[in-house]
Amino acid sequence: EELSPEDNMQELRVWGGGVANAQEDTLSRRVDENASTLQVVVYKPDHTKGGILIRPKYHRGDRRGVQTFPVLTHMSIRLVPSVMPAEFGWRLPALKQLTLLLDLSVRPRWNRYEPGEARRSIFDDGESYLRTALRTRLGRLVDSGDNGLAARVAATSPSLERVCLDLCSSEDSSQSCLPLLTVCRASMPWDVERLFHLINRKPDPAATGFETAERCHDALRQAWPLLLPLLKAQGWAPAWEVRVAPSPPTAQGLAVLGLTRPPAGLELWPSRGVADEVLVDQLMGWLQLTCASATRDGAPSGAASSASGAVSLA
C-alpha cells in the first residue's frame, strides 16, 4: 500500500499482509521522520523479507542505525519470531507497555493460498519448529527474573510498566486482541498489605484510650480506601510478577479469531502461582485445545490472497 506524506504522525499500524524491502523502506522513512511525535506502533505483518521489525534508518541503507522515539508509549509486535526493539534500533525511553501478539495460524508464503488449501495452525503436523519457538518465547516472557523478557526490555526502556500477551489473528479485520497474561512491576507484597489491614481494622488494644493513637487510627480508616490503590501502584521491588487473566477469553471472542473455546470438561485455564514451566505447559495445552476443532476447509475467512494487508497512519 502506498503511504501518503504524513507530518506529526502519532500512530502507525501494520496488520497482516507482507512487508518486503520496498515496503520496509517506506515504513522506515515514515517512522524515522516522525520519531518525535510517534506514540503508538502496532506492527504485525504475516510475512517479511528480513524486516521482522521496521529498522528506523533502513531507508538510508543503514540496517543498524538507531533512532530515539521520545514519546512512544505503546508498542505491539509479534510474540514469534523473537524481537527486542532495542536490537533493531528503537530507543524507547518513554515506553510503558509492550504487547506481544500471538497468532496461532500458519499462512503460506505471502498469503498465497492454493485452491482447497486447508487452514493450518502451529499445532498441526509439520509445524514443530513453530511450537518450539512459541514455547521458548513463552518461557522467557513468564520469567520474572533479571533474565526475563520484561527485565531485558526495561534495561533500555526504564519507563516500562508491563508486557502483555494478547491472542489475535490477521484474518480479523477489527484487529481485536484477547488478553491472556501480563508481566508487570511487582506490587505491594501481601505481608505488607496485611499489616496495613490489621492496623486499619484491629488497632492495638493497648492504645485504646489514648487520644493521639485513636485519632491516628481514625484518620487511617478514613484515608485507607484512597491510600491502598496509591500504595499498590508504587514499585515495591525491582522485580516483575506474572498475572494470568482471571478467566479465559469468551467463546464469542475466540470465534472472531477463528478459534473455538474448549469444552468445559477439558478446558484447563492456567493457574496462578505455579512454576514458570508449569504455567507454560498449561498455556500451551489450552492454546492447542482452542485450535483442535477450529479448522475448516479452504483458506481462512478474510485471508489475503496476496501480500496486501492493513496499514494505517494517524
Side-chain angles (χ1 to χ4, degrees):
E1 180 174 332
E2 188 67 26
L3 301 183
S4 59
E6 185 77 21
D7 294 325
N8 301 319
M9 182 175 68
Q10 297 180 351
E11 182 174 335
L12 169 67
R13 288 178 174 269
V14 178
W15 191 267
V19 176
N21 294 342
Q23 288 81 17
E24 185 183 0
D25 184 272
T26 301
L27 292 169
S28 171
R29 187 181 305 276
R30 303 306 307 149
V31 300
D32 193 23
E33 293 175 348
N34 293 275
S36 62
T37 59
L38 199 56
Q39 299 176 23
V40 177
V41 169
V42 178
Y43 189 67
K44 188 201 170 296
D46 293 329
H47 303 284
T48 63
K49 192 175 181 182
I52 54 177
L53 182 60
I54 304 167
R55 289 164 285 197
K57 302 297 183 180
Y58 181 83
H59 66 102
R60 295 185 179 180
D62 185 357
R63 296 172 180 266
R64 298 185 179 182
V66 175
Q67 177 61 280
T68 299
F69 299 84
V71 296
L72 197 152
T73 58
H74 291 73
M75 172 177 275
S76 299
I77 56 178
R78 294 178 58 176
L79 174 68
V80 179
S82 176
V83 174
M84 296 292 290
E87 296 176 358
F88 282 76
W90 292 71
R91 297 293 179 262
L92 306 170
L95 183 68
K96 293 184 177 181
Q97 178 173 312
L98 175 65
T99 300
L100 301 177
L101 302 172
L102 174 57
D103 190 338
L104 298 177
S105 296
V106 178
R107 300 175 181 84
R109 188 64 173 166
W110 305 113
N111 290 351
R112 293 189 175 94
Y113 288 89
E114 299 295 334
E117 185 173 359
R119 184 177 191 264
R120 296 183 60 79
S121 81
I122 66 170
F123 294 102
D124 288 335
D125 294 339
E127 308 297 345
S128 59
Y129 72 102
L130 287 176
R131 291 193 294 275
T132 300
L134 173 58
R135 179 178 291 276
T136 300
R137 188 67 163 162
L138 287 175
R140 293 173 181 168
L141 173 60
V142 303
D143 182 352
S144 56
D146 293 340
N147 294 323
L149 187 143
R152 291 179 60 199
V153 175
T156 55
S157 299
S159 298
L160 186 71
E161 298 176 355
R162 69 190 69 88
V163 179
C164 305
L165 175 64
D166 287 1
L167 191 62
C168 65
S169 173
S170 295
E171 300 157 22
D172 172 26
S173 60
S174 68
Q175 302 181 15
S176 58
C177 296
L178 307 179
L180 299 180
L181 61 83
T182 303
V183 183
C184 55
R185 297 281 185 181
S187 60
M188 177 190 294
W190 169 242
D191 55 349
V192 176
E193 182 179 345
R194 179 176 178 274
L195 179 60
F196 277 109
H197 281 296
L198 288 174
I199 296 173
N200 176 28
R201 298 178 180 278
K202 298 180 179 180
D204 186 354
T208 303
F210 292 89
E211 181 180 359
T212 303
E214 290 185 350
R215 287 173 60 188
C216 179
H217 288 145
D218 288 340
L220 178 60
R221 278 190 287 268
Q222 294 177 38
W224 187 236
L226 298 176
L227 283 175
L228 181 59
L230 292 175
L231 290 170
K232 281 189 168 185
Q234 303 303 311
W236 283 80
W240 300 84
E241 62 181 9
V242 180
R243 297 181 182 177
V244 181
S247 58
T250 64
Q252 293 85 350
L254 289 170
V256 173
L257 308 184
L259 301 172
T260 302
R261 186 167 176 174
L266 297 177
E267 185 173 44
L268 296 175
W269 185 241
S271 306
R272 299 182 181 183
V274 298
D276 292 350
E277 297 82 0
V278 176
L279 177 57
V280 171
D281 287 341
Q282 291 177 340
L283 188 56
M284 289 286 290
W286 183 85
L287 291 170
Q288 183 171 3
L289 286 175
T290 66
C291 294
S293 58
T295 57
R296 57 181 180 270
D297 293 335
S301 175
S305 59
S306 66
S308 61
V311 179
S312 64
L313 308 172

